[in-house]
């Protein structure tokens, strides 16, 4: 019954558009189409965050080959990308993003569970002084780090 109602509604809208000139001019008016697209796109992306727009402030960081040494402002370990925890060991954690795998070393303790999804900038655990991120694409993480000189 619902399918029939949907098809009849669609047929009514299309026939009104094709045969009634005032309705056709309303649908073809460029400002209304732009306004409608703007209204719909605002509601679609209201809760999404752009990870690239959110930097991670740190004391300092050092990039050496496939290792990124990060000195956080506090003792909390966090990354500027969304990750999922896939392996937890003593002093280290393995995480994945959409297309990369990273190992985080020098953890004092972890605050997330195995197979937990962690949004960017949320704490993964704590460290004493610094933590090490190992992987093939650590440059992507390093590009989102900002040294916060006022706190140093």
């Amino acid at each position: 019954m619902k399918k029939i109602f949907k098809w009849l509604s669609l047929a009514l809208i299309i026939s009104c558009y094709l045969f009634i000139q005032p309705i056709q001019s309303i649908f073809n008016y460029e400002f209304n189409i732009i306004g409608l697209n703007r209204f719909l796109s605002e509601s679609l992306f209201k809760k999404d965050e752009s990870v690239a727009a959110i930097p991670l402030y740190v004391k300092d960081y050092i990039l050496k080959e496939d290792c990124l040494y990060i000195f956080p402002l506090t003792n909390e370990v966090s990354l500027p990308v969304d990750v999922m925890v896939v392996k937890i060991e003593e002093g280290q954690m393995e995480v994945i993003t959409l297309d990369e795998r990273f190992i985080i070393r020098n953890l004092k303790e972890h605050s997330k569970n195995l197979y937990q999804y962690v949004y960017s900038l949320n704490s993964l655990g704590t460290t004493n002084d610094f933590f090490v991120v190992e992987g093939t694409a650590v440059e992507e993480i390093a590009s989102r780090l900002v040294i916060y000189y006022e706190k140093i």
Side-chain angles (χ1 to χ4, degrees):
M1 185 67 178
K2 288 184 179 182
K3 279 189 174 183
I4 294 172
F5 182 70
K6 287 180 184 178
W7 283 107
L8 287 175
S9 301
L10 182 62
L12 178 67
I13 290 172
I14 291 174
S15 62
C16 288
Y17 173 75
L18 292 176
F19 299 116
I20 302 174
Q21 185 62 30
I23 292 177
Q24 188 177 19
S25 64
I26 290 171
F27 279 120
N28 288 343
Y29 190 62
E30 188 173 344
F31 182 75
N32 285 343
I33 292 172
I34 292 171
L36 182 63
N37 286 338
R38 183 174 166 202
F39 173 76
L40 291 175
S41 65
E42 282 177 0
S43 63
L44 286 175
F45 302 107
K46 197 173 277 186
K47 294 185 180 180
D48 287 351
E49 293 180 350
S50 175
V51 175
I54 304 174
L56 176 62
Y57 291 98
V58 296
K59 286 181 192 174
D60 198 8
Y61 65 92
I62 300 169
L63 181 61
K64 287 187 179 179
E65 297 173 4
D66 287 345
C67 291
L68 177 63
Y69 299 87
I70 300 175
F71 299 87
L73 293 174
T74 62
N75 289 341
E76 296 207 1
V77 175
S78 59
L79 294 176
V81 292
D82 296 342
V83 295
M84 187 175 93
V85 179
V86 293
K87 190 175 184 182
I88 296 175
E89 293 179 0
E90 185 68 31
Q92 73 180 21
M93 178 184 293
E94 189 172 350
V95 297
I96 58 170
T97 62
L98 289 175
D99 53 354
E100 295 297 328
R101 183 175 294 263
F102 300 105
I103 297 174
I104 303 170
R105 298 189 193 279
N106 200 23
L107 291 174
K108 187 168 87 174
E109 59 185 37
H110 60 85
S111 62
K112 300 303 177 192
N113 300 319
L114 193 61
Y115 303 119
Q116 185 173 356
Y117 190 79
V118 183
Y119 290 106
S120 62
L121 306 180
N122 285 338
S123 175
L124 292 166
T126 59
T127 184
N128 290 329
D129 186 28
F130 68 95
F131 62 97
V132 182
V133 180
E134 295 179 12
T136 56
V138 290
E139 299 87 13
E140 180 182 327
I141 293 175
S143 68
R144 296 179 182 164
L145 299 176
V146 177
I147 298 175
Y148 196 43
Y149 291 105
E150 294 176 6
K151 287 274 189 176
I152 299 175

